[in-house]
Amino acid sequence: MADSATPPGIDIHALDTIDAVHTASHVLAEVWGGDRGGMPPNLLRALAHSGNYAVGLYEGGRMVGASVGFFAPPAARTMHSHITGVTPGLQSRGLGRLLKQHQREWALAREVGHITWTFDPLVARNAHFNLCTLGTRVTEYLVNHYGAMDDGINRGDETDRIMVSWALAAPPVPTPEDDRVVASVAVPHDIESLRRTDPADAAAWRVRVRDEIMRNIADGLRIGGFDDERGYLFVARR
């Protein structure tokens, strides 16, 4: 990533006090529709105290986002970013990107070469950010990865996820050229709104996207990128 400087009024700090931990848990609960069980304060405190990545993002002294990650195999060389969120109403201002920039610098300072995380394949803006903006590499498609969840975002839906890996010292993975694209799988432009207005149609999208992606993977293809109009772009495995 090019510019990692935080703009005036924005700060990112480690969650090193009890008050900060409880605030971060509340912020993440707000992002995920009121679920305090997603990142409870005691677990967040344990992760932070044992040397893992746990930070709050502040605007004007008020915490408006948080991010938590922990080390993953191979030991001390990979970090898994478990949860990152910015409070509703502030999610289109580049604050999530600032958190990822900070996460990258924190990891590189500790000789961590890769960061992995999962995201919902139906959320187009996250697919664009992860695959187009950051240039991560898709490593797995995980069917109903977390099982049933009771937060305001995931309640009533199956939790399919795409796993990506971000090589921190390597150039971003480019979107494949059209002559390499063998197939594509479209996703709705705004699945969050669709879940509120037409839950049945949103559920049908889940099954349709899963089936098409799994079929392409079974045919020997892999997700090589994302396009806002065409969706996931599949290329031949190398």
Side-chain angles (χ1 to χ4, degrees), residues 130 132 144 163 189-192 199 230 233:
N130 293 325
C132 302
N144 202 23
M163 176 82 78
H189 289 294
D190 186 356
I191 187 64
E192 290 114 327
R230 292 175 290 172
L233 306 177

Side-chain angles (χ1 to χ4, degrees), residues 56-57 157 171 181 188 200 217:
L57 182 145
D157 192 9
V181 176
I217 292 173

